[in-house]
Amino acid sequence: MPNADPILRVAIPSPLYRSFDYLPPADRATPGTVGARVLVPFGRTQKVGVVLETASSSELPPERLKRAVTVIDREPLLPPDLMRLGRWLADYYKQPVGEAFAALFPTLLRQGQAATVRGEPMWRLTEAGRRTRPETIKGASRQAQLLAVLHQQPKGVTQAQLGSTHSGWRAPLDALARKGLAVREYKPCLPEGPLASPGPAPEPTDEQARAIGTLRERLKGFNVTLVEGVTGSGKTEVYLALMEKALGAGRQVLMLVPEIGLTPQLIERVQKRLGRPIAVLHSALTDRERLCAWSAAREGQIEIVLGTRSAVFTPLARPGLLLVDEEHDGSYKQQDGLRYHARDVAVLRASQLDIPIVLGSATPSLETLRNVETGRYGRVVLSERATGASMPRLGLLDVRHQRLEAGLSGPLLTHIDDHLQRGGQVLLFLNRRGYSPVLLCHDCGGTAHCPRCDALMTFHRGSETLRCHHCGGERPLPSRCPDCGGGELVAVGQGTERLEEALTERFGVNTVVRIDRDTTRRKGALEQQLDRARSGQARILIGTQMLAKGHDFPGITLVGIVDADSGLFAVDLRATEHLAQQIVQVIGRAGRAERPGEALIQTHLPDHPLLRTLLNEGYDGFARDALIERREAGMPPFASQALFRAEAVKRGAPEAFLEAARAVLQTHAATNVSIIGPIPAPMERRAGRYRHQLILHTDSRRELHETLTRSVPLIAELRESRSVRWSLDVDPMELY
DNA sequence: AGCACGCCGACT
DNA sequence: GTCGGCGTGCTC
């Protein structure tokens, strides 16, 4: 007679590359079902896992199977599409299946809490309670005390807050509730129900109307469309028109934006225009709020989800449309744990859901452009600015033989003068914060090295410190050279701080605003600085990449790229792509209003092909050339790569591990996979750890995956892996 | 990853 | 004499 108990095959978060079999819990009422979470004994602890499948038998002898403690979800928590997605993630990124599934959940669900759209339990006063003065409650001092607490918090106090400061609050509050003075309710954690009717749509330009028309026709079944639109061309308006249509058909929309792009302005615009509540998923949410939004989207209670990278895993009851804004943005790539790329996951999800997906960018990634080239993706172009403003005039400033003042050439300073005099604002882009990247002893030539990294420390003048931008290390500025005692320390090279100093000296204190991580660290500081820029109070804006995207400064007529050269020398494959994107994005800040803009790039290499192409043919020309180059060099997107990284405090350990990994890979490698390394990371020592890497390279994605599928579980079990921290990155974005 | 077991140095 | 260092073995 077959055993009546079905076996639960469970994905458990652990670095082990397999699932685990359990018997259903003793409680027959909840046998467990695919997609439900279960609490199971695991080693000496308990873990929350997801039921992958039910089976009639296990490879393990029955006596070794343990019983699950409880089934947490009566019904599947993960819909079938997310079950498929979890398996795909594990398989594609070669991560343990339990880790892949854990990534699908917000923290509280990972910890085993119930899936609910209810917010935190909290207490507040009733109308009667508000009229009752605490001192009128006689003979119940605790009740009086808590009444006073609630009086001070008219919006209510969460139980968590009470628990930390007023232990034993339960009984007195229950008593107050019985008297009708206080009431327990759930803190609202979703945006309030239907807003006012949808706002008016601005009249689209002809180009926008054509784009919307094309895209609306594609709003059926799976397809991918790139919306390639120059800065200011009104991509967002196109998105909104599409969202409107999908919502009108009763479907939900999921929109991904880069971290920096999730601004209050965008949220407000979406909300006003579509007239419906949206769930916004960003890093500042509490765990509870995340859970709430996740559950509401799963139940179909909310129709628009707007979020950063991890929002791609939000379950949708009635999926209709996915959007990925600024699809080229690096923040879509998770750089630890499950190293997924949210854009790629989004495309996969759309295909699994059989719904359309739109990727938007002014500077699309070469991967996406390649997919357009092969016809896998459709493409819609917005080449005109919706405001009617023209794109800025672009020029190179040859700085060879020029005297530079804090890195600024005479001609650039003259242009700054001109634009200021004509009432324009100026943006200077320098992607290097601090005063100078090098502090040099004039007597012995010594420089300040970070003790924990293979890197020089950056001189920060304002705080009188030397800081390492790689590990965050900091030390006070020495007054004399620690090596030779020399008293003359020279700041070599420019950072934004020095640029600010030079410009302040020339144009006056209130004219200049610097926006980088150092000036915006304080809460609210970024908004304050941006206000100074937008209001026109500051006429010259200095900034790092923080300033390059997302923010609008209508008054800017001149953009100066202070230093394009450092990006031209970088070793990384994608460095030039990033430089081109960065330049184009920064340039897009100029001339958004009626006034024509101008953008000037300072360089010592005015004949560099990248700069010439960018100048003459724009980003499209650059991308076309870059794709030709990549094809000839056999590099991505014409090849597939995977990267093993290893690091350890002990020198030699990472290399030894990767050598062992290489041996495993070699015995299992498919024919067309080449293995490069182990080689030291470009910066071998960082934050006190030595780092090596091993690269797999091939034309055949399929063979890469076969090789990895066979090898990775074995590599994870190598003895050498114990003495290092290692990770595998499939489709790495950068080699570091 | 956790967690426990197990065998060698500086401390109340 | 013990507390605790991290090597190594295991997780249905």
Side-chain angles (χ1 to χ4, degrees):
Chain A
M1 199 167 59
N3 193 334
D5 275 346
I7 282 160
L8 305 178
R9 198 141 288 156
V10 181
I12 292 172
S14 92
L16 302 171
Y17 283 79
R18 54 176 177 272
S19 56
F20 293 84
D21 290 348
Y22 288 88
L23 296 170
D27 171 17
R28 299 272 154 158
T30 53
T33 163
V34 172
R37 290 169 303 154
V38 284
L39 182 66
V40 293
F42 190 70
R44 290 156 187 86
T45 51
Q46 293 187 343
K47 297 235 181 192
V48 176
V50 181
V51 179
L52 294 176
E53 54 184 344
T54 54
S56 53
S57 68
S58 173
E59 285 180 20
L60 248 73
E63 66 275 13
R64 287 195 54 197
L65 294 180
K66 292 185 187 170
R67 224 167 245 296
V69 182
T70 48
V71 169
I72 300 170
D73 309 301
R74 253 164 207 290
E75 308 199 330
L77 182 61
L78 291 179
D81 73 287
L82 285 184
M83 291 302 291
R84 277 177 75 198
L85 187 67
R87 286 179 186 274
W88 181 85
L89 287 169
D91 181 58
Y92 188 86
Y93 291 109
K94 300 292 179 278
Q95 292 293 315
V97 69
E99 304 281 14
F101 273 85
L104 300 179
F105 290 119
T107 313
L108 293 180
L109 292 180
R110 215 159 28 217
Q111 292 169 359
Q113 293 209 20
T116 171
V117 292
R118 280 205 303 230
E120 268 186 276
M122 60 180 281
W123 292 83
R124 66 168 181 81
L125 293 181
T126 59
E127 189 49 46
R130 269 193 286 280
R131 286 194 309 262
T132 310
R133 298 224 313 271
E135 52 276 21
T136 60
I137 297 185
K138 301 292 179 201
S141 61
R142 290 285 291 152
Q143 290 180 33
Q145 191 191 346
L146 284 158
L147 191 67
V149 170
L150 293 184
H151 266 293
Q152 279 160 22
Q153 306 272 334
K155 286 185 187 154
V157 187
T158 64
Q159 289 188 179
Q161 287 168 330
L162 286 168
S164 61
T165 48
H166 301 83
S167 51
W169 48 266
R170 184 95 224 189
L173 276 179
D174 279 342
L176 288 175
R178 279 193 300 275
K179 293 179 190 169
L181 301 180
V183 62
R184 193 176 96 121
E185 54 185 30
Y186 296 96
K187 186 173 175 178
C189 70
L190 281 178
E192 300 297 327
L195 303 176
S197 52
E203 190 62 32
T205 64
D206 289 352
E207 203 181 42
Q208 280 176 332
R210 276 197 302 278
I212 292 166
T214 307
L215 286 163
R216 279 190 166 170
E217 274 172 31
R218 292 170 67 94
L219 271 183
K220 185 131 209 317
F222 170 65
N223 63 73
V224 190
T225 316
L226 168 67
V227 175
E228 188 174 358
V230 299
T231 318
S233 62
K235 282 193 298 294
T236 310
E237 203 44 52
V238 173
Y239 301 154
L240 289 170
L242 287 181
M243 291 165 97
E244 201 171 34
K245 172 110 190 237
L247 294 168
R251 302 270 136 200
Q252 290 170 295
V253 179
L254 170 62
M255 177 171 175
L256 302 183
V257 292
E259 264 146 39
I260 192 120
L262 193 52
T263 58
Q265 291 93 309
L266 175 70
I267 297 166
E268 195 187 340
R269 186 163 163 201
V270 175
Q271 213 154 36
K272 278 213 174 124
R273 174 80 157 66
L274 300 173
R276 310 180 190 221
I278 62 181
V280 182
L281 293 164
H282 55 80
S283 53
L285 291 189
T286 64
D287 289 344
R288 191 89 198 180
E289 288 166 326
R290 259 172 206 289
L291 166 62
C292 204
W294 195 94
S295 308
R298 177 179 170 276
E299 290 173 19
Q301 291 184 29
I302 195 123
E303 291 158 299
I304 307 167
V305 178
L306 178 60
T308 51
R309 187 174 59 231
S310 63
V312 74
F313 301 126
T314 312
L316 299 169
R318 303 181 306 277
L321 172 67
L322 297 187
L323 292 157
V324 182
D325 191 27
E326 307 293 351
E327 64 85 28
H328 66 281
D329 196 279
S331 73
Y332 286 126
K333 172 80 182 183
Q334 169 99 13
Q335 293 290 20
D336 56 80
L338 181 72
R339 294 171 174 258
Y340 64 95
H341 197 297
R343 179 241 291 140
D344 298 345
V345 175
V347 171
L348 190 274
R349 237 196 124 182
S351 82
Q352 289 187 341
L353 290 168
D354 196 28
I355 60 171
I357 176 166
V358 169
L359 310 178
S361 179
T363 54
S365 64
L366 297 183
E367 282 74 10
T368 293
L369 288 172
R370 168 73 186 144
N371 281 320
V372 170
E373 218 173 65
T374 61
R376 289 186 58 202
Y377 294 2
R379 180 185 191 224
V380 163
V381 178
L382 299 171
S383 57
E384 301 155 12
R385 290 189 151 186
T387 52
S390 54
M391 281 302 276
R393 206 165 54 248
L394 182 56
L396 295 184
L397 283 180
D398 183 356
V399 296
R400 287 174 300 180
H401 310 298
Q402 297 266 353
R403 250 202 57 204
L404 297 177
E405 191 188 329
L408 301 172
S409 64
L412 181 55
L413 284 166
T414 310
H415 277 90
I416 295 174
D417 273 332
D418 283 357
H419 279 264
L420 292 182
Q421 262 170 35
R422 280 184 276 139
Q425 272 180 309
V426 175
L427 187 159
L428 294 174
F429 177 74
L430 177 61
N431 206 12
R432 199 184 301 119
R433 63 197 173 83
Y435 191 82
S436 74
V438 183
L439 190 64
L440 183 77
C441 171
H442 190 58
D443 292 335
C444 74
T447 49
H449 290 262
C450 172
R452 307 174 68 223
C453 305
D454 293 333
L456 295 183
M457 297 189 83
T458 300
F459 169 33
H460 284 251
R461 189 164 188 172
S463 57
E464 298 198 341
T465 53
L466 292 171
R467 288 190 208 164
C468 175
H469 288 184
H470 302 279
C471 70
E474 184 176 325
R475 61 170 191 251
L477 184 70
S479 55
R480 311 193 72 81
C481 173
D483 295 334
C484 75
E488 193 177 340
L489 299 173
V490 196
V492 181
Q494 337 293 335
T496 47
E497 214 182 340
R498 182 179 229 171
L499 206 54
E500 179 187 28
E501 179 192 77
L503 291 162
T504 300
E505 203 168 294
R506 193 182 170 110
F507 296 102
V509 177
N510 288 320
T511 313
V512 184
V513 62
R514 167 164 63 101
I515 299 182
D516 58 26
R517 222 160 78 208
D518 298 318
T519 62
T520 56
R521 192 158 314 175
R522 234 182 43 245
K523 194 168 149 40
L526 175 63
E527 281 310 315
Q528 208 179 323
Q529 300 280 75
L530 291 175
D531 280 350
R532 277 191 64 202
R534 291 208 188 92
S535 69
Q537 186 205 357
R539 310 284 308 283
I540 302 176
L541 287 59
I542 298 168
T544 56
Q545 58 190 351
M546 278 189 88
L547 221 89
K549 31 190 175 179
H551 306 296
D552 267 351
F553 305 102
I556 288 176
T557 56
L558 172 65
V559 168
I561 311 273
V562 177
D563 171 26
D565 296 349
S566 43
L568 295 173
F569 294 116
V571 285
D572 193 274
L573 172 67
R574 278 166 237 260
T576 51
E577 184 184 344
H578 286 155
L579 177 66
Q581 289 169 345
Q582 212 156 54
I583 289 176
V584 173
Q585 300 272 348
V586 177
I587 289 170
R589 305 295 117 205
R592 300 203 82 175
E594 325 58 57
R595 280 179 282 201
E598 182 173 29
L600 296 169
I601 302 173
Q602 291 199 132
T603 179
H604 289 88
L605 305 161
D607 297 319
H608 193 287
L610 161 68
L611 296 177
R612 295 250 59 105
T613 314
L614 210 51
L615 197 68
N616 297 329
E617 303 176 64
Y619 184 79
D620 280 344
F622 157 78
R624 181 203 58 224
D625 286 4
L627 274 172
I628 291 170
E629 247 175 64
R630 295 277 189 93
R631 183 200 296 275
E632 283 168 359
M635 293 305 260
F638 300 93
S640 297
Q641 293 183 326
L643 177 70
F644 286 89
R645 299 172 220 264
E647 57 174 55
V649 175
K650 197 170 149 201
R651 178 171 223 150
E655 195 179 359
F657 164 70
L658 291 174
E659 278 297 353
R662 185 190 169 104
V664 173
L665 287 163
Q666 263 168 340
T667 60
H668 296 279
T671 39
N672 286 314
V673 178
S674 35
I675 307 173
I676 304 148
I679 51 171
M683 183 185 296
E684 187 177 357
R685 211 165 91 91
R686 181 168 170 169
R689 294 169 182 280
Y690 292 92
R691 313 178 309 148
H692 264 67
Q693 49 198 29
L694 185 70
I695 301 162
L696 266 58
H697 184 106
T698 174
D699 311 350
S700 164
R701 177 174 294 276
R702 186 179 56 80
E703 291 193 21
L704 177 74
H705 278 266
E706 281 170 14
T707 305
L708 289 171
T709 301
R710 289 194 286 259
S711 313
V712 173
L714 300 173
I715 290 172
E717 285 175 13
L718 287 172
R719 191 149 42 83
E720 288 88 343
S721 74
R722 297 168 184 282
S723 35
V724 300
R725 279 188 358 202
W726 71 278
S727 65
L728 169 61
D729 197 341
V730 177
D731 303 338
M733 296 275 284
E734 49 201 8
L735 314 177
Y736 66 92

